[in-house]
Every structure is written in structure tokens, then in C-alpha cells.
Amino acid sequence: MEHHEHKEHHQDHADHSSGHHDHHAQMIEDFKKRFYINTVLSIPVLAFSEMIQGFLGFSFSFPGMGNVAAGLATFIFIYGGWPFLKGLKKELSEGGPGMMTLIAIAITVAWAYSTAVVFGLEGKVFYWELVTLIDIMLLGHWLEMRSIMGASKALEKLAELMPSEAHKVDGDNIHDVKISELKKGDIILIKSGEKVPADGKIVEGSSDLNESALTGESKPVEKSKGDEVIGGAINGDGTIKVEVKSSGEDSYLQKVIKLVEEAQQTKSKTQNLANTAAGWLAYIAIGVGVVTFIAWAFFSSQGMDFALERMVTVMIITCPHALGLAVPLVVAISTALSAKNGLLIRNRTAFENSRKISVIVFDKTGTLTEGNFGVNRVVSLEDEPEGDLLSKAAAIEQSSEHPIAKGIVKEAKSRELKFPSISDFGSTKGKGVSAKIDGSTYQIVSPGYLEEEEIDLPEEANSNKAETVVFILKESQLIGFIALADQIRKESKSAIETLKEKGIKVLMATGDNEQTAKAVADELKLDGYYSQVLPHEKSELIEKLQSEDEFVAMTGDGVNDAPALAKADIGIAVGSGTDVAAETADIILTESSPSDIANLILFGRATYKKMVQNLIWATGYNVVAIPLAAGVLFYQGIMINPAVGAGLMSLSTIVCAANAQLLRLKFK
């Protein structure tokens, strides 16, 4: 039963995630459709407005024009305003007003008051204000949603790592079963190149297993009888039989899924800048509106109609049209500029907050390093030239799929060496490969093989670098060796220097061993490193740093990084890594270059500055407009005219649009 639920659990994640993504696309399409329909219907409403007619210098009317305007405005209010009215309910139920609340208050007050005026109340009709506010806010939300990528598919991607079936061994028979049907104690067969379907222990055979996506260990791990294997790892050349120890909810991968899920749910729901400003304006609109009404209704002789008109004017004017575009325009431009510069922004709040980063934690494999083996040294111990030694090793290794073999072949090809022909190729699992060249037997073997054969390891083979060394034998005589390592990216050093100059502490957390981690940390002059770290430990490290009041960014590319990417204040995935890492992160570096992280912080700072400037332009005129709308200078003969309010709003919208465009000059 437990395993059946596990399968459904995976499917639920997949369905939920793809459903969420489709929902996001539908919302964008919905805002676009509402914007177009409302804009067309707004034209006659604006043409019927006395204020707009006076403003543009024309005049016309017909019997029942007010009722037609009321009908069109009511449709626009209900159809165009629905997302904001729905958003009002959601924001208030989640703990406080924001953008949706402010818009909903302004459009409801404008519609209700104007409709009452059309049907007999003394006052002014604000339908022009209602329809333009809805149109601009719909445009702003549409622009913003379109410029930001959809919701996370991380859990779906994680679930996909597990194969759907396993080869179950029953006596002499082998048959395929769904992994949901596996039980503890079952024996399963895992063929060459297949994914391991469940956690377990090898009971027969040996192989190299690639666990890099799961644990972060960069090189394949040699496993034989008695060793543990993790579900989701990729089997190498050998065939192994495994006794199932845990599957379903208890599996290692399922625990990673749970970590990601929990981190995503608890990740800070920081309100973004525009929402915070809108929340304050909502309080001001309600507070000042009520005070204005009470002051004029009960402490003056102007009457209830005048008091109501002043209150309505205050509540409408407090929601500036420019606020709907102030941030979305900056977001749309900075998202496009970022994409051109190799940064894909999935979470805008995280991008805004990148200016706060105090500590950045890097994964090693595939992030600071290339993530594949490159040849560091070729050393000949006999008279044979290094080039000949490398070409012979590459000729033999061409037949192997091992990452070390691929590294040797790649190096030989980059040197444009000619490969000799080989015969009698053979491989011994965990020991090495052999073949004949010109009648002589050559072997490429591990240090363990030399120890078994009691062949002394050459002193030159030892180095303090994080190297993997393979030895070349000719007719059982040691003639040389090749040292390989996961190469540090060229850009890593300068990127780390830049980050340190900005006062950011740089740490590394890797699944690799102590020696490898130390070598990389020393070479890059990191502020600290953590080796042999498992996914849940990376996530715990992020939590520990956060508890020390650090604002933490995490950069990684593997499944093992997913929980930490989700937990960090800002998760940054390198695009060449796994889909899981990319889907869990807030920002994706498409070029996989650590130097882009420095650019990201500069980008974030410049974008935030533009957002603040635009919010000041969008809301600044309220400092003058709200008191005038409330009538504080009424007895001095000064009171804001709706036409003046409209002019100020238009001006602040134009200034915001122009200011957003200036962001382009910073990143030419």
C-alpha cells in the first residue's frame, strides 16, 4: 500500500506542477484578453465624459448617454475589475492589503459613487477614472506576468529521476514490475547504463555508479558486493543484483523531494516593493477618506453630498495609474536585459533582494569546476614520448564509456594525435582496461591494481592536487601515468575576487572528498569549504547561516543542490546542470559562468534603484494631491480639480515609463 501511495505521490507532484504551469499561462492570456476588450469599451466611456470632452475641446450628448456610460462602465468594472476584486479577498485573507486591495478599493468607490450620481445623487461622475485605472492595471499585470517565467516544476523533475520499472529476480526468472510494487528484501537486476530503481545493497556483481546528480561526488563510485546503492543513480558498465532496502516514502530520493517541498513552502513570502507601497497607500486611502468625510459631514456646513464627493475623490486619487506600470515596466526591461546577459529570472522578489547577499555558497562540481575530467599531466617513465603514451592510452580508452576514459580521449583529440590500431580489447571491472598494440599488451589500470601486483607507485604520481591517476603498463612493466582532475572553470577565480571585493563571504559545499575540496578551495582562495556534504546537510548549512543573520545565496547544478537552492534566500542554478536544479532556483545562469553572479548582483542593485525611483514618481504627487483632494485649502479657494488630477497622473505615468527605459543605458 505504501509503495502504491508513493507512485501516486509522484504523479500528484507531476500533475500539480504541470497544472500550475498551465494555470500561469492561462492567467497571462486572461489578463491580455480582459485588457483588449476593456480598452475597446473604454473609448466610448471616455468620449461621453464631460471632463474629457472639456479637456479635448469638443462637446456632444444624446438622450440616455449617462445610462449607456453606466452600462459600459458597469461591464468594465465587473469583467475587467474581477481579477482585482478576487485579489482583494485573497490579500486580506493572507494577512494584509497590497496592490490588489488598493486597486479594488479605488475602482469600487469610483463605480459605486458614479453610478449613484447617474441615478440622482449630487456629485461628479468618475467613470473615466474607473475605466482608465482598470485598463492600465490590467496592462501592468499582463506585462509583469509575461516577463517572468512560470511556476516551479522541481518536484516533477525530481520524480522523473526514478525509472518507472524494475527487473525483479524470482529464482531463475526475471520479470519487469512497477517500482511501486517493490518491497523490502526483493532482489532486482540492474543492467549496464540503467537507473537504480530503489535504495539497496549489492548482493552480486560490481560496477561504477554515477551518483553525481544525487550526492555531488564528481567521479563515479566503484561499488561491489555488500555496498549500498541509491535509487536514481546511473549504473556504469557492469551488471549488478541488488537487495531492496527502502523504496517509496523511505527512499533517499523521496527524502530529497520532501526537503525541496518543505523549503519551497516555508521560503519567505517577502512582499515585493510595489505591493508594499500599495499596501501603505490602501491604508492611507481608507484612513484619509474616512477622516475627510467625517470632517466635512459633521464639522462644516457644506452638506453630505460635498463630504461624500471629497471622500470619493481622495480614495480614487490615492491609487495612482502610474503605480500599475512603475514596477512592471522596470521588470519587463530588466528581465529582457538579464536574459540577453545570461540571467533568467524566475522569482522577481529574489532578484530585487540580490543586493542584500552577504554569503554565497557554491556547489563545486559543474559550478566552480567544469564537471568533467580533464587531463592535468601525462608523465612518461621510460623513453616513450608523452604524446605517444597519450595516443596509445586514448586508442585503448576509445572503447570505454567511463568519464576518465572520455577525458583521455578528449585530450588526445584536442592535441590532434593519431591513434594506433588496437586488438584484443578487454576490461576488468574496477581494475582497468587492456589491448594489444603492435603485438604488445598495454594495460591502463588503477592504483589499486599496482598495489595488488606489488608494483611501486612512482613518487611523481603523488600530488597535493585533487587528481585521479591511471597507470599505463606495457607487458606488465610500468611505463607512465596520466593524472586527471575536474578542471576549475577559467572564470571562477575572477568571479570570486569580485564577490569578495563587494564584501560577500564565499563558501563551498560539495559532495566530494576532503582532499579534492581543499585543493579547489585553496586554489580559489575561498573563505571556507565543506566536503562530503549530503543534500540535507547542504540545506542545514544554509539554515545555519540564515540563523546567523546572513542573507544567503546558493549556487548549484545538481539534484543534490535542489533542497539548498529552495531553502536559500536566493537560489541560483547554472543552466548546464540538471533540470531539477534549474526548476528549484530563483535565478538561472544560462552560460554556467560564475562571473555572471557578480553581474547578477549589479543588475539587482540597478533594477531595485529604478523601481524605487519609479515608485517615488508614481506616488510622490500624492503628497500634494491627497491634502488638496481632501479640501484642506478649500476656504482659501484652492481645491484639486479632477482634470488637474488626471494631468498629474498622466505626467507621472510618462515619467515612470521614460525612467524605466534608462535602465537600458546601464547595461549596453
Side-chain angles (χ1 to χ4, degrees):
M1 183 63 191
E2 174 194 18
H3 309 293
H4 179 64
E5 283 169 1
H6 168 64
K7 178 84 171 187
E8 284 179 352
H9 191 59
H10 273 233
Q11 193 55 48
D12 286 348
H13 284 317
D15 292 347
H16 170 75
S17 187
S18 60
H20 198 96
H21 198 262
D22 293 343
H23 176 63
H24 189 78
Q26 282 166 10
M27 277 177 72
I28 293 172
E29 203 51 45
D30 183 52
F31 270 99
K32 178 182 168 185
K33 186 179 165 190
R34 286 176 198 266
F35 168 69
Y36 282 135
I37 290 170
N38 280 312
T39 302
V40 171
L41 293 177
S42 297
I43 295 166
V45 176
L46 293 171
F48 299 161
S49 162
E50 282 180 30
M51 196 201 85
I52 300 292
Q53 287 182 11
F55 197 66
L56 297 176
F58 71 92
S59 177
F60 78 90
S61 69
F62 56 84
M65 187 169 82
N67 290 342
V68 174
L72 287 169
T74 300
F75 176 82
I76 289 169
F77 169 66
I78 295 167
Y79 178 67
W82 181 246
F84 307 112
L85 297 169
K86 209 164 68 173
L88 160 84
K89 186 185 169 196
K90 188 173 180 233
E91 281 182 352
L92 294 180
S93 68
E94 286 180 0
M99 182 73 84
M100 295 298 194
T101 308
L102 182 63
I103 300 165
I105 290 169
I107 63 175
T108 304
V109 168
W111 173 78
Y113 180 75
S114 300
T115 304
V117 169
V118 167
F119 292 104
L121 182 75
E122 279 294 314
K124 294 185 178 72
V125 174
F126 287 103
Y127 284 146
W128 64 271
E129 176 79 59
L130 166 73
V131 298
T132 53
L133 185 56
I134 288 175
D135 292 345
I136 283 181
M137 292 301 172
L138 284 171
L139 175 64
H141 277 73
W142 171 38
L143 277 176
E144 188 174 2
M145 291 170 79
R146 199 181 62 171
S147 67
I148 295 168
M149 293 173 73
S152 172
K153 283 189 174 182
L155 301 171
E156 180 187 350
K157 297 287 180 191
L158 275 168
E160 284 171 7
L161 279 179
M162 219 38 129
S164 56
E165 291 188 331
H167 312 302
K168 188 179 171 188
V169 180
D170 280 329
D172 295 333
N173 299 319
I174 295 169
H175 53 271
D176 291 347
V177 297
K178 290 180 178 172
I179 62 163
S180 55
E181 293 170 19
L182 289 178
K183 297 181 191 69
K184 191 174 177 179
D186 285 349
I187 305 294
I188 50 175
L189 176 74
I190 301 150
K191 297 174 185 174
S192 171
E194 289 185 337
K195 284 181 182 173
V196 177
D199 298 355
K201 187 185 276 191
I202 298 175
V203 291
E204 191 181 305
S206 64
S207 186
D208 289 328
L209 271 82
N210 183 346
E211 297 176 345
S212 60
L214 295 152
T215 64
E217 172 63 63
S218 54
K219 50 186 179 186
V221 185
E222 231 173 80
K223 302 266 183 172
S224 55
K225 190 174 176 179
D227 290 335
E228 304 276 338
V229 295
I230 304 172
I234 300 164
N235 188 20
D237 297 337
T239 299
I240 51 175
K241 282 184 183 175
V242 169
E243 183 186 341
V244 175
K245 291 290 175 198
S246 57
S247 62
E249 296 297 315
D250 299 324
S251 72
Y252 176 85
L253 189 60
Q254 189 58 36
K255 283 171 187 162
V256 174
I257 289 174
K258 273 187 182 160
L259 279 170
V260 172
E261 196 172 28
E262 283 163 16
Q264 284 182 337
Q265 284 167 358
T266 57
K267 197 162 188 175
S268 168
K269 291 181 179 175
T270 327
Q271 276 197 314
N272 58 52
L273 210 54
N275 241 1
T276 308
W280 280 106
L281 285 175
Y283 286 125
I284 291 166
I286 296 164
V288 177
V290 169
V291 169
T292 300
F293 178 77
I294 292 168
W296 285 112
F298 300 106
F299 301 101
S300 81
S301 57
Q302 296 300 316
M304 292 294 271
D305 289 349
F306 181 84
L308 191 60
E309 184 188 307
R310 286 299 95 210
M311 180 184 84
V312 169
T313 307
V314 166
M315 291 178 86
I316 293 170
I317 219 160
T318 309
C319 181
H321 288 54
L323 189 63
L325 290 175
V327 170
L329 280 174
V330 175
V331 169
I333 291 166
S334 90
T335 305
L337 286 171
S338 299
K340 276 185 192 169
N341 287 272
L343 303 170
L344 297 181
I345 299 162
R346 301 182 65 252
N347 179 334
R348 193 187 85 214
T349 308
F351 180 56
E352 284 176 25
N353 287 338
S354 61
R355 70 191 192 286
K356 298 182 192 171
I357 295 170
S358 62
V359 173
I360 186 156
V361 180
F362 280 95
D363 169 49
K364 180 188 77 70
T365 310
T367 307
L368 291 173
T369 66
E370 298 283 356
N372 48 47
F373 282 96
V375 172
N376 266 4
R377 300 182 289 150
V378 180
V379 178
S380 175
L381 301 171
E382 300 289 332
D383 298 334
E384 194 150 6
E386 284 177 14
D388 288 358
L389 201 64
L390 181 60
S391 67
K392 284 172 180 168
I396 297 167
E397 293 284 23
Q398 268 190 120
S399 306
S400 172
E401 281 300 301
H402 197 286
I404 288 173
K406 287 179 180 174
I408 291 170
V409 173
K410 187 181 174 187
E411 178 69 17
K413 283 181 177 173
S414 73
R415 295 192 192 186
E416 297 180 352
L417 299 175
K418 196 177 176 190
F419 293 9
S421 50
I422 67 163
S423 61
D424 300 345
F425 175 83
S427 73
T428 310
K429 186 52 59 189
K431 303 283 173 62
V433 291
S434 63
K436 283 194 172 176
I437 300 174
D438 297 331
S440 299
T441 301
Y442 285 82
Q443 291 167 275
I444 302 170
V445 297
S446 64
Y449 180 86
L450 293 192
E451 283 174 30
E452 277 180 28
E453 298 298 315
E454 296 181 353
I455 299 170
D456 293 335
L457 263 74
E459 267 181 48
E460 303 98 304
N462 296 316
S463 86
N464 58 357
K465 290 185 178 177
E467 292 181 328
T468 298
V469 182
V470 292
F471 297 90
I472 302 161
L473 307 178
K474 179 182 179 182
E475 299 295 348
S476 301
Q477 294 298 308
L478 182 60
I479 61 165
F481 63 86
I482 298 172
L484 303 96
D486 185 3
Q487 305 290 298
I488 291 174
R489 289 185 187 276
K490 294 184 186 77
E491 319 86 18
S492 293
K493 208 163 210 167
S494 61
I496 282 157
E497 282 168 10
T498 307
L499 290 166
K500 284 173 135 187
E501 280 164 19
K502 292 182 188 304
I504 295 167
K505 198 189 291 181
V506 185
L507 305 173
M508 180 178 75
T510 176
D512 259 332
N513 59 55
E514 164 72 17
Q515 186 193 0
T516 303
K518 188 178 187 308
V520 172
D522 289 349
E523 190 165 337
L524 293 174
K525 298 189 173 76
L526 301 180
D527 294 310
Y529 68 91
Y530 301 84
S531 62
Q532 292 175 312
V533 183
L534 293 169
H536 69 279
E537 291 169 333
K538 278 191 185 179
S539 188
E540 284 163 12
L541 169 64
I542 301 294
E543 220 169 324
K544 179 176 171 284
L545 291 166
Q546 286 169 332
S547 72
E548 294 164 4
D549 292 329
E550 301 283 10
F551 196 86
V552 188
M554 168 74 198
T555 307
D557 73 331
V559 178
N560 59 306
D561 303 316
L565 287 169
K567 176 69 75 178
D569 296 298
I570 301 176
I572 305 164
V574 293
S576 63
T578 63
D579 287 347
V580 176
E583 289 292 348
T584 321
D586 302 304
I587 296 158
I588 300 162
L589 308 181
T590 57
E591 300 300 318
S592 306
S593 169
S595 60
D596 285 341
I597 293 165
N599 295 337
L600 156 70
I601 293 162
L602 291 171
F603 249 23
R605 285 176 183 174
T607 300
Y608 183 78
K609 201 171 169 186
K610 277 280 169 261
M611 286 176 179
V612 171
Q613 287 169 1
N614 264 9
L615 287 174
I616 291 166
W617 281 113
T619 60
Y621 80 94
N622 272 332
V623 175
V624 176
I626 291 173
L628 290 179
V632 293
L633 297 178
F634 174 72
Y635 292 113
Q636 282 74 40
I638 300 169
M639 195 168 66
I640 198 161
N641 180 314
V644 174
L648 285 170
M649 281 186 182
S650 302
L651 182 64
S652 69
T653 306
I654 291 162
V655 170
C656 283
N659 190 42
Q661 293 296 334
L662 293 175
L663 193 62
R664 295 183 188 279
L665 301 176
K666 290 203 171 274
F667 301 108
K668 277 201 163 180

